[in-house]
Amino acid sequence: MGNYYVYVYIDPRNFEEFYYGKGKGSRKYAHVNDDSDSEKTRRIKAIRKEGLEPIIRVIARNLSEHDALLVEKTLLWKLGKQLTNVSSGHYADKFRPHDSLHKYLSGFDFQNGLYYYNVGEGFHRNWDDYVEYGFISAGQAPRFRDAIQGLQVGDFVAAYLKGHGFVGVGQVTQSAKPVRDVLVGNIPLLQKELVCPNIAENSNDLDNSEYVALVDWVRAVPRSNAKWKPKSGLFTSQLVRASLDGQPQTVKYLEQEFDVDFSELLQ
């Protein structure tokens, strides 16, 4: 066991917890005489102005520093904006945003994510190839390669074709790899009759190659039947990949237009 602890400052005027911290030794008392101008010190000064002292209590002890940080972050998350702590602390990426309890969130309520995917049709890629052979791609530069490699097996993508709208919803069945290494039905993708054979450009350059992820299309439509509603606030982005966690209007629209239920698909 370690010698770290987690402590709390409580306002004796209303018994409200207003600050959590971790430390060892006499760390818990360090804030009492802090002269900095912060919400925490202003509250301590207000308490003392009334002839009182903040109540300081250790609430977890004999912890390693790692465990103390994790306990501290849990408490910070629990009370959220009621606290005077300035920073979100360590492990912030392991906790769901405090204002997201009203919705399903990928990685928390289900393992896989729901993402916007920008088809980026052009010299190196074509939507018809994607539908015919069950894949999506991005690349020709490291930043685009990295974006598509962020998709994991099981993730769902809503494919957007610029100038048309949303053209498909699919599930990733194989994470992205260089196009030269991709097999479709045990046949190299580059040996298929592609509408856009330029996908092979730079295939021997792993930084600039096109990267391909295999996809099982749940729904896919031709570009002429793309789903779109002008001036409706639907989400789009120039990014290759973007989370749809914070886009409930777009998710609802996709569910209606493609007749899918993402909460069921993502379970």
Side-chain angles (χ1 to χ4, degrees):
M1 299 298 289
N3 55 355
Y4 280 84
Y5 55 79
V6 175
Y7 58 93
V8 62
Y9 272 55
I10 302 170
D11 191 327
R13 299 170 298 178
N14 57 12
F15 295 98
E16 205 173 67
E17 299 168 356
F18 67 91
Y19 185 84
Y20 287 117
K22 66 92 182 169
K24 57 183 178 179
S26 60
R27 171 62 183 170
K28 61 188 177 185
Y29 300 114
H31 310 289
V32 175
N33 298 311
D34 187 348
D35 291 328
S36 65
D37 183 23
S38 66
E39 186 178 352
K40 172 191 65 184
T41 56
R42 287 195 294 271
R43 185 149 181 177
I44 291 173
K45 289 175 182 177
I47 292 169
R48 294 184 126 186
K49 189 175 180 179
E50 297 192 29
L52 301 169
E53 292 291 333
I55 299 169
I56 306 170
R57 295 289 185 267
V58 170
I59 51 180
R61 64 190 179 95
N62 296 335
L63 303 172
S64 66
E65 183 175 20
H66 170 277
D67 289 347
L69 285 166
L70 193 54
V71 170
E72 178 191 36
K73 179 58 189 174
T74 303
L75 294 168
L76 288 173
W77 184 90
K78 176 61 178 174
L79 288 188
K81 294 181 180 179
Q82 298 178 41
L83 298 175
T84 58
N85 294 71
V86 175
S87 70
S88 60
H90 296 261
Y91 305 106
D93 61 335
K94 299 185 185 300
F95 288 76
R96 78 184 294 139
H98 209 269
D99 58 355
S100 66
L101 292 172
H102 63 291
K103 60 186 177 183
Y104 287 108
L105 208 60
S106 59
F108 291 93
D109 301 304
F110 33 75
Q111 181 177 356
N112 296 112
L114 172 60
Y115 294 93
Y116 164 95
Y117 163 72
N118 188 344
V119 174
E121 190 173 62
F123 186 75
H124 296 101
R125 52 198 73 89
N126 183 277
W127 173 242
D128 296 331
D129 287 337
Y130 288 0
V131 175
E132 177 69 21
Y133 299 111
F135 72 94
I136 57 176
S137 72
Q140 309 303 318
R143 68 182 185 277
F144 302 130
R145 170 204 65 194
D146 294 346
I148 196 165
Q149 284 189 313
L151 292 170
Q152 306 298 318
V153 172
D155 287 342
F156 280 83
V157 293
Y160 173 79
L161 186 57
K162 185 177 180 180
H164 297 276
F166 288 98
V167 287
V169 171
Q171 185 174 32
V172 176
T173 58
Q174 178 180 285
S175 55
K177 60 175 63 176
V179 63
R180 70 184 187 187
D181 299 331
V182 175
L183 301 178
V184 175
N186 294 319
I187 298 174
L189 177 60
L190 293 182
Q191 292 183 16
K192 298 287 188 178
E193 293 187 10
L194 298 169
V195 175
C196 187
N198 296 322
I199 195 172
E201 186 174 28
N202 299 315
S203 58
N204 290 320
D205 179 353
L206 294 184
D207 283 334
N208 297 305
S209 170
E210 194 76 3
Y211 277 68
V212 170
L214 298 185
V215 171
D216 180 14
W217 294 111
V218 179
R219 300 280 189 275
V221 297
R223 59 179 60 76
S224 60
N225 196 31
K227 311 301 181 181
W228 189 248
K229 188 176 182 180
K231 299 180 180 180
S232 60
L234 295 176
F235 176 81
T236 63
S237 172
Q238 294 183 352
L239 297 173
V240 171
R241 170 182 59 90
S243 173
L244 288 175
D245 279 345
Q247 304 297 332
Q249 180 182 353
T250 301
V251 170
K252 183 178 180 180
Y253 177 80
L254 291 168
E255 289 183 323
Q256 292 174 341
E257 294 297 320
F258 288 101
D259 191 25
V260 295
D261 184 335
F262 287 118
S263 63
E264 290 186 4
L265 292 174
L266 287 162
Q267 290 297 337

